[in-house]
Amino acid sequence: MKHLARLAALAIAATLPLTAQAHHYWLLPSSTVLSSPQWITVDAAVSNDMFHFNHVPLGLEALNIVAPDGGKVAPENMAKGKLRSTFDAHLTQPGTYRIQLVRSGVRASWKVDGQPKRWNGSPEAFAKEVPADAAELQVGEFVSRLETFATVGSPSALKPAGQGLELVPLTHPNDLVAGESATFQMVVDGKPAAGVEVTVVRGQSRYRNQLEALKFTTDEAGKFSVTWPQPGMYWLDADLQDAKTSVKAARQRMLSYTVTLEVLPQ
Amino acid sequence: MRKWIPAVLPGVITGGFAGQGLAAELKVKLELPRLNVAEYHRPYVAVWLERPDQSVAANLALWYDLDTKGAEGAGTKWLKDLRQWWRKSGRDLTMPLDGVSGATRPAGQHELGFAEGKAPLGRLPAGQYNLVVEAAREVGGRELVRVPLSWPPKSAQSARAQGQHELGAVSVELKP
């Protein structure tokens, strides 16, 4: 998770527009629509091109696989390579599984004798470990959520966790077909988030000259609709900043949400 | 494995239904082309009737690998490759489908017969339908063919469509 944290930290420290992140992080499931209980394998990486392993692996410490009944599924064969992380999951129940990496905490940077120092951890640890009078102290909070979904049999409902930025799928994420429209809602701490910019990029970006990113802005109810131009794996990302911090020293809270969606042909 | 029974319904059975005479019949002929490929697997095939909004009115036939065990797990693993059928109907059903499921079939001509009032066709409201045949082959392609028809038929009719890859000719014969 170091890289996720670093990305978050860089974005906060530099207060760059959040879309200026150079790298993308993602999960790539082998299958999302299954007709019988079976294994899937998932890759996780940080890269320049969508769904190509060309930068660094993604840490899986915060990995969580939620079964349709709300129980946990333990990932198996977890491994970290030089360019990607990978794990398997045995999906035995009918319904929809949520595969997610959720991180939240405090990020701080300051200077000691002109040398930059970086720190990240929980709000509780922050009070103990970060000197309040540090030089050029910059503090931010973050909640980042990276996920994907897989369904055995008939899709089941998905409920938001109510923390940070999330996507509420009004169209089921494992029922997406090229040429059809899908409607989603962005929520912050469980409440509809209007005016959120959402970027959607189709995979295989290595094989075209332009990223061809689709941009959406959520309406007053936090909703937006995507008509999938063609089948494929899609990367959907939204980032947002607000001031709902739990640590006083933090001015900003950086929220990010990223999901991989599979769109099937007609 | 269950053998397909051409369902030419004896009038006796339907005779009891509110003044109806002989039951209307729906015959489907479909061709699975002989393909010259290095690795050939019999295709999974679904045959169903859909309403104009593409919702499923009746599942008529489903041919797949009925094995419940094997090196690759149950044959149901690949049912999702019948993409449209899976999305519109299959994922909400429990396999095997009584009177609908059957084993995969070899290349060649296959005939299916259905009669009104009898499973799996049942009794459908009068209207326009499409007979849909979807075929998906392991390490091969997928194809879907639609033949429009109106049900119940007022006179003997036939209609056909031609598949290009995974399906050959698909024809439908209707008898009132």
Side-chain angles (χ1 to χ4, degrees):
Chain A
M1 290 313 301
K2 271 187 192 145
H3 296 285
L4 250 181
R6 194 176 302 157
L7 288 172
L10 284 173
I12 290 174
T15 57
L16 285 168
L18 294 164
T19 46
Q21 290 177 2
H23 301 118
H24 307 297
Y25 47 87
W26 40 264
L27 294 170
L28 184 63
S30 57
S31 294
T32 63
V33 174
L34 307 167
S35 49
S36 67
Q38 68 183 82
W39 289 89
I40 61 164
T41 190
V42 182
D43 291 315
V46 181
S47 71
N48 292 336
D49 294 312
M50 214 52 77
F51 309 134
H52 284 279
F53 316 110
N54 60 9
H55 186 45
V56 291
L58 191 59
L60 297 174
E61 293 79 7
L63 175 65
N64 200 0
I65 305 171
V66 185
D69 67 358
K72 298 270 166 72
V73 175
E76 295 188 39
N77 302 321
M78 212 188 257
K80 193 170 183 175
K82 293 292 183 196
L83 298 177
R84 66 164 170 184
S85 305
T86 184
F87 59 92
D88 300 334
H90 196 199
L91 312 185
T92 54
Q93 289 172 29
T96 301
Y97 290 75
R98 190 191 283 269
I99 300 157
Q100 61 179 6
L101 275 79
V102 183
R103 284 192 83 250
S104 65
V106 182
R107 219 21 247 200
S109 68
W110 64 93
K111 282 190 175 163
V112 176
D113 302 330
Q115 294 300 308
K117 255 189 96 89
R118 285 197 178 128
W119 180 94
N120 91 71
S122 66
E124 297 77 42
F126 172 78
K128 288 180 213 151
E129 294 172 23
V130 177
D133 56 352
E136 295 179 48
L137 178 64
Q138 286 199 331
V139 184
E141 288 188 33
F142 63 93
V143 182
S144 74
R145 193 175 289 273
L146 169 64
E147 61 189 4
T148 191
F149 305 93
T151 294
V152 178
S154 203
S156 57
L158 292 155
K159 277 188 192 149
Q163 188 217 9
L165 185 60
E166 290 176 272
L167 174 126
V168 178
L170 303 176
T171 302
H172 197 281
N174 295 136
D175 197 13
L176 307 176
V177 176
E180 291 189 7
S181 170
T183 303
F184 305 117
Q185 184 186 35
M186 297 306 303
V187 295
V188 171
D189 299 334
K191 296 191 186 80
V196 178
E197 277 189 32
V198 180
T199 303
V200 176
V201 181
R202 188 167 51 86
Q204 304 268 319
S205 59
R206 184 181 178 184
Y207 306 115
R208 56 185 189 267
N209 294 326
Q210 300 299 319
L211 197 57
E212 294 172 14
L214 306 171
K215 301 269 185 186
F216 303 90
T217 305
T218 59
D219 66 12
E220 278 160 25
K223 292 178 187 172
F224 67 101
S225 295
V226 183
T227 300
W228 308 102
Q230 49 183 300
M233 283 287 185
Y234 282 77
W235 183 85
L236 183 154
D237 180 77
D239 302 279
L240 199 64
Q241 274 173 295
D242 67 17
K244 290 177 188 160
T245 58
S246 57
V247 169
K248 263 196 182 167
R251 296 240 174 94
Q252 297 177 312
R253 184 172 71 147
M254 199 196 107
L255 306 170
S256 69
Y257 178 85
T258 308
V259 64
T260 301
L261 300 169
E262 185 174 31
V263 176
L264 294 171
Q266 278 285 351
Chain B
M1 188 176 126
R2 129 197 297 273
K3 269 221 153 152
W4 206 265
I5 304 154
V8 181
L9 203 68
V12 198
I13 298 176
T14 43
F17 285 97
Q20 296 246 351
L22 284 171
E25 280 175 38
L26 167 69
K27 247 190 198 170
V28 180
K29 274 189 207 166
L30 69 92
E31 187 187 1
L32 300 179
R34 210 165 291 279
L35 298 165
N36 186 18
V37 291
E39 185 184 345
Y40 180 81
H41 298 269
R42 292 179 181 184
Y44 277 27
V45 176
V47 182
W48 73 94
L49 279 176
E50 71 177 15
R51 303 181 186 95
D53 67 357
Q54 295 199 356
S55 64
V56 175
N59 276 307
L60 299 180
L62 176 66
W63 303 340
Y64 70 102
D65 178 358
L66 297 172
D67 285 348
T68 51
K69 284 176 196 153
E72 296 213 66
T76 50
K77 179 177 176 181
W78 305 107
L79 279 176
K80 63 173 176 62
D81 292 348
L82 292 166
R83 251 194 258 294
Q84 290 227 13
W85 174 79
W86 179 250
R87 184 181 188 217
K88 285 168 182 156
S89 177
R91 69 191 192 187
D92 298 315
L93 303 170
T94 308
M95 299 303 140
L97 291 177
D98 196 22
V100 175
S101 304
T104 54
R105 298 197 177 189
Q109 280 274 1
H110 298 277
E111 270 193 47
L112 307 174
F114 307 96
E116 189 180 24
K118 199 184 171 189
L121 180 59
R123 210 165 278 282
L124 299 177
Q128 279 299 125
Y129 295 90
N130 280 317
L131 178 106
V132 192
V133 181
E134 184 174 16
R137 187 165 50 87
E138 190 180 344
V139 297
R142 173 182 157 267
E143 186 165 27
L144 185 138
V145 161
R146 283 192 170 88
V147 182
L149 56 92
S150 72
W151 189 262
K154 291 189 176 67
S155 57
Q157 284 166 23
S158 66
R160 53 173 281 145
Q162 181 69 41
Q164 301 298 321
H165 310 284
E166 301 298 332
L167 289 168
V170 174
S171 64
V172 173
E173 277 178 46
L174 303 175
K175 266 193 216 162

